[in-house]
Amino acid sequence: MTIYSDIQETIRMLDKEKLDIRTITMGISLLDCFTDDINITVKKIYDKIYAYSSKLVDTGEDIAKEYGIPIINKRIAVTPIALAAFSKAEDYIKIASTLDKCANDVGVNFIGGYSALVHKDITKSEHAFLDSIPKALKVTKRVCSSVNVGSTKAGINLDAIKLIGSTIKQIAFETKDEDSIGCAKFVVFANAVEDNPFMAGAFHGVGEGEAVINVGVSGPGTIKAAIEKCKGEPINEICEMIKRTAFKITRAGQLVGNEASKRLGVPFGILDLSLAPTPEIGDSVALILEEMGLEKCGAHGTTAALALLTDAVKKGGIMASSYVGGLSGAFIPVSEDAEMIACVNCGALSFDKLEAMTSVCSVGLDMIAVPGDTPDTTISAIIADEASIGVINNKTTAVRIIPVYGKKLGDIVKFGGLLGEAPIMKLNDYSSKNFINRGGRIPAPVHSFKN
Amino acid sequence: MKAVITVIGKDKTGIIYKVSKVLYESDVNIDDISQTVMQDYFTMIMLVSSAETINVNELKKKFSELEDEGLSIQVQKTEIFDIMHKI
C-alpha cells in the first residue's frame, strides 16, 4: 500500500512545485500522403491527421483529471514537409494552411514538422520549401517550423546557414505587427532528433512508424524544491537529489504516456524529461542554478552547475522510463524563464555566457530577442557557432532567435503566454559577413583525438 | 479499483461526514484514513476502493458542492502514487 508520506510528497509536487506533464505530442507519418498533385496531397494530409488525432485533446484531458496531474499541451508533429518535394513555394504554403486548419479543428495549440533536413545539401524542392517559410509562418497561427543544418556525421551546411540568416530576418519582417513572433516558431538545429515532443522543433522523423505518442515532462520547480533541502551539502549530494527527483517525475510521465498510448491505440514512443521553464514564478531553471549557490544565473560557475543538472536529470530519467529520448536535459529559453530575464536585465547573464551554457544544456540558444537591425550574416554566424558546438560535441543544439523588427538594445518585447517576455540582448557588433558569404560545407569532425 | 482522495480546508464540523456520505452513495468503500488539523486547516487523505471502476469524474462532480463550501477535494487514481515511489 502506498504510504501517506509518499502521497503527500506527490501532492506537494503537483500543487506547490508545479510538476506537470508539459506535452503529449502525437507524431504522425505523412509519407503516404505526398503525391504529385497538391490538392490531393492536402486532402490526404488533413484526413490522416484528423483520423489519428481527433481524440487526442479529450484523451489528454481525461487522463489529467483521473490522475490529478496537469497535462499542459496536446500537440502534433508530422513528417518533415519538405519531403513532399513540390517545386513551388505556394504549394508548401497550401500545406502549411492545411496543417493550421487541422490543428485548429482537433484543438491542439501547435503542430510541428514544417521542416527540412538540409545538413548536407539543399535540393531544388527544398529551396522552394525554405523560400516558403516566412509566408507560411505569417499566414498560420499554430504551425511550427524547423530546419536541420548540420550533423556530426555530415558536417555543417554553411550555404543553408547563410540562407537561413535572411529567412529569419524575413520571418521577423512578415510578423512585425506581432513583435516578430513568427521567429519564436522557427528553430534551426544541428543533430536534430526525430522524436522530440517539444515545440517549436518537433517533427516526426522518417525512421518513425505510422503514428506514435511522445511525452514531454517538466518540473523545474520540483527540482528546485528538492535542492532546497540540501543547504550546505557537498555538490555530489545535490546530484543524487536531482537524480532521485528526476526519477519520480519521469515515472509520472511514463504512466501518462502508457495511458495515452493505450487509449488512443497508438504506440508509445519516448519520454523526454526536459526541465522546461515557464514564465510563472518558481517555474525556472535559472532558480535551480541559483539554489546551488550562484548569486545570479550567469555568474562564473553557471556552466558547471548547468552541466551537472543536465547530466543528473538524464541519469535519473533513464532508469525510470522504458524509452527515454527526445532532448532530455534542461532548456534555457530566456524569454520563458522569469529569473533568466531578471538576470539579463541586471547584467549578470550575457549572450556569450548563454552560448557557453548551450554546450552543456539539452538544446541551445533559445528564445533570445536581439535588435531588429542585426545583419543577416550575424544571425547566420550565431547559427554556425551553435551548430559547431553540437556537431563537435555529438549533441543536439538549436537556435531560436528573434531579431525583433523595429526594436533596439534596451527595449523589452512582450510575447505573452508561455513565450513570456524578453529584453533585447546585446550582440557582438563586429562583422562576420565575409566568413558567412564564403558558403560551402564544413566537413564532419574527427571522432578521435578528443581534447 | 483504488483511488486516493485528499481533502483540505478550514476545519469545521461534518467534513468527514459529508465526504463519506458521497462515497457511501457512490458505493465506494473507505479502506484507510489519515487525518490531521494543521494550523486550523483540516487535511485528510483517504484510500478508497470499489468493486466497480471508480468514475473519477463522476465523484469529482459530486464533491463540487462541498468545494463550494471552501473545501479543496482531489480524487486521483492510486497508480500515480505507486509508480512515482516504487521501482
Side-chain angles (χ1 to χ4, degrees):
Chain A
M1 182 179 293
T2 308
I3 54 167
Y4 289 109
S5 61
D6 289 347
I7 294 178
Q8 278 167 339
E9 184 182 1
T10 301
I11 289 171
R12 196 186 60 238
M13 282 177 166
L14 292 167
D15 273 8
K16 299 263 182 309
E17 298 161 9
K18 302 190 175 67
L19 169 63
D20 58 42
I21 305 296
R22 190 53 53 88
T23 179
I24 297 181
T25 303
M26 182 185 271
I28 303 171
S29 170
L30 297 183
L31 286 172
D32 58 347
C33 302
F34 298 153
T35 69
D36 56 2
D37 182 316
I38 180 64
N39 294 319
I40 296 172
T41 301
V42 294
K43 184 174 184 311
K44 281 181 144 214
I45 288 175
Y46 184 91
D47 291 347
K48 184 160 185 185
I49 297 175
Y50 195 86
Y52 270 102
S53 64
S54 58
K55 292 199 178 75
L56 176 64
V57 173
D58 286 347
T59 306
E61 278 165 13
D62 286 349
I63 295 172
K65 272 187 216 148
E66 284 173 31
Y67 294 101
I69 182 161
I71 300 173
I72 311 294
N73 298 303
K74 283 66 107 179
R75 292 167 170 175
I76 297 170
V78 298
T79 306
I81 293 299
L83 294 174
F86 286 102
S87 55
K88 288 185 296 204
E90 304 90 81
D91 290 343
Y92 287 113
I93 291 165
K94 273 186 196 160
I95 297 180
S97 303
T98 306
L99 294 176
D100 199 43
K101 180 172 187 317
C102 205
N104 186 53
D105 292 354
V106 299
V108 296
N109 59 356
F110 283 120
I111 184 164
Y114 197 74
S115 307
L117 309 174
V118 295
H119 38 275
K120 202 154 188 190
D121 208 346
I122 310 174
T123 63
K124 282 181 192 163
S125 57
E126 280 163 349
H127 262 294
F129 173 81
L130 294 175
D131 286 347
S132 77
I133 293 174
K135 184 83 185 292
L137 292 178
K138 184 188 182 176
V139 299
T140 60
K141 283 261 174 270
R142 299 170 193 234
V143 173
C144 291
S145 179
S146 59
V147 178
N148 192 54
V149 296
S151 79
T152 301
K153 290 261 186 276
I156 299 170
N157 184 349
L158 207 56
D159 287 325
I161 288 178
K162 181 182 165 190
L163 192 72
I164 284 166
S166 51
T167 304
I168 290 178
K169 288 290 291 289
Q170 282 169 40
I171 300 170
F173 179 77
E174 292 283 1
T175 54
K176 64 180 188 297
D177 300 337
E178 294 168 277
D179 281 330
S180 302
I181 199 164
C183 296
K185 295 184 280 177
F186 180 69
V187 190
V188 192
F189 276 115
N191 288 328
V193 290
E194 300 201 324
D195 51 11
N196 157 31
F198 286 98
M199 293 298 170
F203 65 87
H204 185 73
V206 287
E208 299 280 327
E210 277 298 330
V212 71
I213 289 290
N214 296 325
V215 171
V217 192
S218 192
T222 317
I223 300 277
K224 181 186 175 273
I227 299 178
E228 279 171 15
K229 293 180 205 137
C230 302
K231 288 230 183 321
E233 302 275 348
I235 204 77
N236 46 307
E237 293 300 324
I238 290 188
C239 296
E240 278 303 310
M241 185 56 99
I242 296 170
K243 260 160 56 181
R244 257 181 273 151
T245 314
F247 177 86
K248 289 174 188 169
I249 300 174
T250 309
R251 295 277 280 186
Q254 175 84 28
L255 173 72
V256 167
N258 285 341
E259 273 301 312
S261 157
K262 200 164 72 192
R263 293 182 194 191
L264 291 161
V266 168
F268 174 66
I270 58 95
L271 191 118
D272 184 333
L273 173 61
S274 285
L275 300 179
T278 68
E280 264 191 78
I281 300 297
D283 208 14
S284 154
V285 169
L287 281 177
I288 298 178
L289 305 177
E290 291 172 7
E291 189 60 44
M292 287 189 209
L294 299 163
E295 186 183 359
K296 281 281 169 195
C297 172
H300 295 293
T302 301
T303 312
L306 182 60
L308 79 86
L309 172 66
T310 308
D311 185 60
V313 162
K314 284 183 207 282
K315 284 174 178 162
I318 281 168
M319 186 177 161
S321 169
S322 33
Y323 302 99
V324 169
L327 301 163
S328 292
F331 291 161
I332 47 169
V334 177
S335 79
E336 297 170 9
D337 188 318
E339 181 60 17
M340 220 168 261
I341 297 166
C343 292
V344 171
N345 283 334
C346 77
L349 183 60
S350 67
F351 187 90
D352 296 343
K353 188 63 184 175
L354 277 166
E355 186 183 302
M357 289 163 74
T358 64
S359 62
V360 297
C361 80
S362 64
V363 206
L365 291 168
D366 198 10
M367 289 303 287
I368 297 174
V370 296
D373 60 359
T374 307
D376 301 9
T377 47
T378 298
I379 292 182
S380 295
I382 290 168
I383 296 170
D385 280 344
E386 196 57 32
S388 305
I389 291 173
V391 166
I392 295 281
N393 293 307
N394 218 347
K395 75 187 283 293
T396 305
T397 47
V399 174
R400 184 159 56 145
I401 193 166
I402 308 140
V404 188
Y405 188 84
K407 298 272 176 174
K408 54 186 190 316
L409 206 61
D411 290 347
I412 286 179
V413 200
K414 289 192 165 60
F415 299 114
L418 273 180
L419 296 174
E421 61 175 67
I424 302 283
M425 291 192 76
K426 181 170 168 33
L427 298 175
N428 192 314
D429 290 332
Y430 292 96
S431 172
S432 323
K433 191 170 139 201
N434 293 343
F435 176 71
I436 292 301
N437 282 341
R438 285 175 188 273
R441 179 156 56 92
I442 302 177
V446 65
H447 293 301
S448 190
F449 309 107
K450 294 260 184 194
N451 286 309
Chain B
M1 155 94 219
K2 289 173 183 293
V4 171
I5 297 174
T6 42
V7 183
I8 302 170
K10 202 129 179 103
D11 194 23
K12 58 180 176 182
T13 53
I15 297 180
I16 296 183
Y17 167 75
K18 284 175 185 167
V19 173
S20 38
K21 184 161 170 271
V22 171
L23 294 173
Y24 171 71
E25 287 165 1
S26 311
D27 209 15
V28 173
N29 185 49
I30 300 171
D31 297 342
D32 202 357
I33 296 182
S34 158
Q35 176 254 304
T36 48
V37 177
M38 288 189 297
Q39 295 170 343
D40 291 348
Y41 271 85
F42 174 88
T43 60
M44 171 168 72
I45 301 175
M46 280 177 154
L47 289 174
V48 300
S49 66
S50 161
E52 305 290 310
T53 306
I54 298 173
N55 188 330
V56 172
N57 288 336
E58 204 56 36
L59 266 185
K60 276 189 179 169
K61 252 182 233 160
K62 290 183 184 165
F63 282 130
S64 62
E65 210 172 288
L66 298 181
E67 293 203 286
D68 294 342
E69 296 175 22
L71 289 174
S72 152
I73 304 178
Q74 287 278 343
V75 186
Q76 290 160 282
K77 288 189 179 174
T78 49
E79 288 97 318
I80 183 92
F81 305 102
D82 291 334
I83 202 164
M84 282 176 76
H85 300 280
K86 284 185 195 160
I87 297 179

